[in-house]
Amino acid sequence: MPSVLPLGDPAPSDGLLPAQAAEGADGRAFGLYVHIPFCAVRCGYCDFNTYTATELGGGASQDAYAATAAAEVELAAGVLAGSGVPERPLSTVFFGGGTPTLLPAADLALILRTAIARWGIVAGAEVTTEANPDSVTPESLAVLKEAGFTRVSFGMQSAVPHVLKVLDRTHSPARVPQVVRWAREAGLDVSLDLIYGTPGESLDDWRFSLETALSYGPDHISAYALIVEDGTKLAAQIRRGEVPGIDDDDHATKYELADQLITAAGLGWYEVSNWSRTPGHACRHNLAYWRGDDWWGIGPGAHSHVGGVRWWNVKHPAAYAGRLVQGLSPAAGRETLDPGTQAVEHVMLETRLATGLTVDSLTPAGRHEVAGLIADGLVDPVAAFRGRLVLTLKGRLLADAVVRRLLPD
């Protein structure tokens, strides 16, 4: 949830969507994203739309947030119905942030119950919350399971104290196996998020983090290269020479090691930065993003997408709450994607998946590039022969370059 909102057209105060949003909706899954914008400490690398208590001021109380988010759920149901979008049960729900579990588990449960009461939920739906290792207890995890959560994604990031210190993470590495055990005892699936390429992190540090995370037996691992965003504390530290900069070759070496160790441990990659114990443990909510399904984003700065219509909410929690109190949509702006733009995004997103995309979905110019990508070792020749474009390990390392070749001007 980046902190800078995109440019777009003004969104109407009633939130109603253009007719395009309803077209073909019966054939698309519908999910819910709930943004919880609160953090105990702002991490030095983070550019997300998050706030600590001291940054918020009046009108943005954490205590009132669950009721405010539930109010947007009610508004969303009315907007979709008023826009002619057929009602569909939720296929996935994802609470992200920020740190969702800074709110009491009962508050997260209230938001989830409100959403299920409005839309229903499919049998076996995936319901995830992100969590910091120091923001849960056995009791809170049990409450989440009872409310209908099925999965928790812990922000482990590293098992090395000096790396966590650079990232401004507040938890101790010793806390992670404890919370994984608590989640298992509550009956929740477990995902661990890792970050590689932190300034000062050696290859041995990264190996230790990977091996440590895998020793906990997670169902899912996400491993993301650290990106230094302008305006963050970390960017300023690098600019001042206080910590070393980011090295692309270092990132590539660490990604290769991640794939090697995670695959050897029995998890398979299904998206460039994600591996799962079985196909059923892949994050279905994120797959919905990559496949262009529909979702409504609840919360300040949250983004939504329905039928090629994309919009985003006002950023600040106080402004967000104020609009809902007035019965107004919190949407700040939106864009309606034309077929050409949707086709481009389809290529950009599905290229990242292990299932790949159909070669026939490319333009003639894009199809012309496939032979060259095979020759360069970037895509699987057997899959291409069968009509699907699937990245090799080398192709995953150069995924952005592959997309540029598939989308020539």
Side-chain angles (χ1 to χ4, degrees):
M1 192 60 57
S3 62
V4 178
L5 296 180
L7 299 175
D9 300 322
S13 60
D14 60 11
L16 291 177
L17 305 174
Q20 174 179 321
E23 296 173 4
D26 283 330
R28 299 190 301 271
F30 177 56
L32 187 71
Y33 172 77
V34 182
H35 185 61
I36 309 296
F38 308 116
C39 285
V41 174
R42 176 176 285 279
C43 297
Y45 64 92
C46 181
D47 186 44
F48 284 7
N49 187 40
T50 61
Y51 305 83
T52 64
T54 56
E55 293 174 320
L56 281 172
S61 166
Q62 292 187 32
D63 293 340
Y65 188 77
T68 304
E72 190 184 356
V73 169
E74 301 286 357
L75 180 140
V79 166
L80 291 172
S83 302
V85 179
E87 186 171 299
R88 294 159 291 170
L90 296 166
S91 58
T92 62
V93 183
F94 195 102
F95 285 67
T99 308
T101 44
L102 274 186
L103 293 187
D107 284 4
L108 303 183
L110 170 65
I111 300 169
L112 179 60
R113 284 198 307 272
T114 303
I116 293 173
R118 276 294 160 212
W119 289 300
I121 193 165
V122 301
E126 175 191 272
V127 182
T128 302
T129 185
E130 294 180 333
N132 283 350
D134 53 4
S135 67
V136 298
T137 64
E139 294 76 18
S140 69
L141 291 167
V143 170
L144 293 176
K145 175 63 177 179
E146 178 66 22
F149 285 80
T150 64
R151 185 174 179 272
V152 60
S153 181
F154 289 115
M156 176 179 171
Q157 316 310 6
S158 175
V160 180
H162 77 82
V163 174
L164 292 172
K165 183 177 180 181
V166 173
L167 295 172
D168 291 323
R169 302 296 291 183
T170 58
H171 69 272
S172 162
R175 178 79 167 181
V176 179
Q178 187 177 44
V179 299
V180 169
R181 185 179 73 253
W182 293 344
R184 293 289 192 207
E185 291 170 349
L188 296 164
D189 286 349
V190 173
S191 177
L192 296 176
D193 285 358
L194 299 173
I195 290 177
Y196 60 90
T198 299
E201 177 191 61
S202 69
L203 188 61
D204 285 343
D205 288 336
W206 176 232
R207 180 186 294 274
F208 180 74
S209 291
L210 286 165
E211 291 175 344
T212 301
L214 290 167
S215 74
Y216 303 147
D219 304 298
H220 183 281
I221 283 185
S222 297
Y224 298 109
L226 179 66
I227 297 174
V228 179
E229 302 287 357
D230 290 341
T232 61
K233 174 185 172 183
L234 182 58
Q237 290 174 316
I238 292 174
R239 187 172 61 252
R240 293 192 299 263
E242 297 171 4
V243 296
I246 299 300
D247 182 278
D248 290 341
D249 291 338
D250 176 66
H251 276 183
T253 299
K254 288 174 177 173
Y255 180 85
E256 290 175 332
L257 180 61
D259 186 67
Q260 173 191 336
L261 295 182
I262 297 172
T263 301
L267 285 75
W269 84 276
Y270 69 93
E271 191 276 338
V272 167
S273 299
N274 291 275
W275 293 257
S276 62
R277 179 73 55 190
T278 69
H281 288 110
C283 180
R284 283 176 266 160
H285 187 82
N286 285 343
L287 283 171
Y289 292 158
W290 292 315
R291 291 172 175 163
D293 283 333
D294 293 349
W295 72 90
W296 191 291
I298 299 291
H303 288 229
S304 304
H305 172 268
V306 177
V309 182
R310 186 158 50 212
W311 67 97
W312 44 90
N313 286 348
V314 294
K315 280 181 51 179
H316 198 277
Y320 168 76
R323 291 184 67 85
L324 286 166
V325 165
Q326 298 175 66
L328 302 175
S329 165
R334 75 182 187 194
E335 58 183 339
T336 302
L337 308 179
D338 59 42
T341 302
Q342 291 185 67
V344 167
E345 293 194 356
H346 168 76
V347 172
M348 292 174 64
L349 295 171
E350 292 215 9
T351 298
R352 299 179 60 87
L353 299 178
T355 51
L357 77 160
T358 60
V359 173
D360 286 346
S361 68
L362 297 169
T363 64
R367 290 196 295 272
H368 180 73
E369 289 292 322
V370 173
L373 293 171
I374 293 172
D376 293 338
L378 299 173
V379 299
D380 182 344
V382 175
F385 177 77
R386 294 172 177 168
R388 297 202 73 83
L389 192 144
V390 177
L391 297 178
T392 61
L393 175 58
K394 180 181 178 182
R396 283 182 266 159
L397 287 166
L398 299 170
D400 290 343
V402 171
V403 169
R404 286 194 295 271
R405 288 175 64 173
L406 293 172
L407 297 170
D409 293 335

